[in-house]
Amino acid sequence: MAFEMRVLIVVVAMVVCLPSAAYAEQGTATFYTPPYVPSSCYGYQNDGVMIAAASDAIWGNRAACGKRYRVTCTGATNQGVPQPCKGTSVVVKIVDYCPPGCRGTIDLSQEAFAVIANPDAGKIKISYTQV
């Protein structure tokens, strides 16, 4: 009986955790540097440094403003820094728009980028989910 209960708990835990991993979007991230205001979403409001600008892939004509995303580095996009990832994630708030020609899906603040990857990489592969 105890064994069956442990197996059931493990199965339930796996089912609960899988949807978040299964729905992660893939993309790329770059970073931008201060000053971070004014922003497309909030003008001169200071939203701290754990922020990002959204490309057309998620912008949705300002629908992305205020949404929070968990961003994780998944790999390099070039040979300059072959292993840029730090093995961490960061949660950022979308406060700005990265216009057409934007080099990444999400343009992170320099501080947010540095949490998940070596800034010398400049551009990284990411997975991201709305939180």
Side-chain angles (χ1 to χ4, degrees):
M1 175 74 175
F3 176 75
E4 288 87 7
M5 186 58 125
R6 279 186 250 153
V7 170
L8 179 62
I9 290 171
V10 169
V11 169
V12 169
M14 288 173 56
V15 169
V16 169
C17 292
L18 281 178
S20 62
Y23 291 99
E25 298 287 335
Q26 304 301 308
T28 57
T30 52
F31 69 88
Y32 63 115
T33 58
Y36 298 128
V37 291
S39 70
S40 295
C41 296
Y42 302 108
Y44 285 93
Q45 177 180 314
N46 183 345
D47 286 290
V49 296
M50 291 302 135
I51 56 173
S55 71
D56 285 331
I58 59 175
W59 179 243
N61 197 28
R62 284 197 159 77
C65 288
K67 292 185 179 175
R68 295 184 185 277
Y69 288 88
R70 179 176 313 281
V71 182
T72 305
C73 177
T74 59
T77 59
N78 60 45
Q79 297 302 313
V81 180
Q83 297 178 342
C85 302
K86 294 184 176 179
T88 58
S89 295
V90 66
V91 174
V92 294
K93 177 181 177 181
I94 301 296
V95 300
D96 215 343
Y97 174 59
C98 192
C102 186
R103 296 179 349 143
T105 309
I106 298 177
D107 199 20
L108 300 168
S109 67
Q110 184 176 17
E111 295 85 350
F113 191 97
V115 169
I116 63 170
N118 179 342
D120 291 339
K123 183 177 182 180
I124 56 171
K125 294 178 184 176
I126 59 165
S127 64
Y128 62 97
T129 54
Q130 188 177 339
V131 294

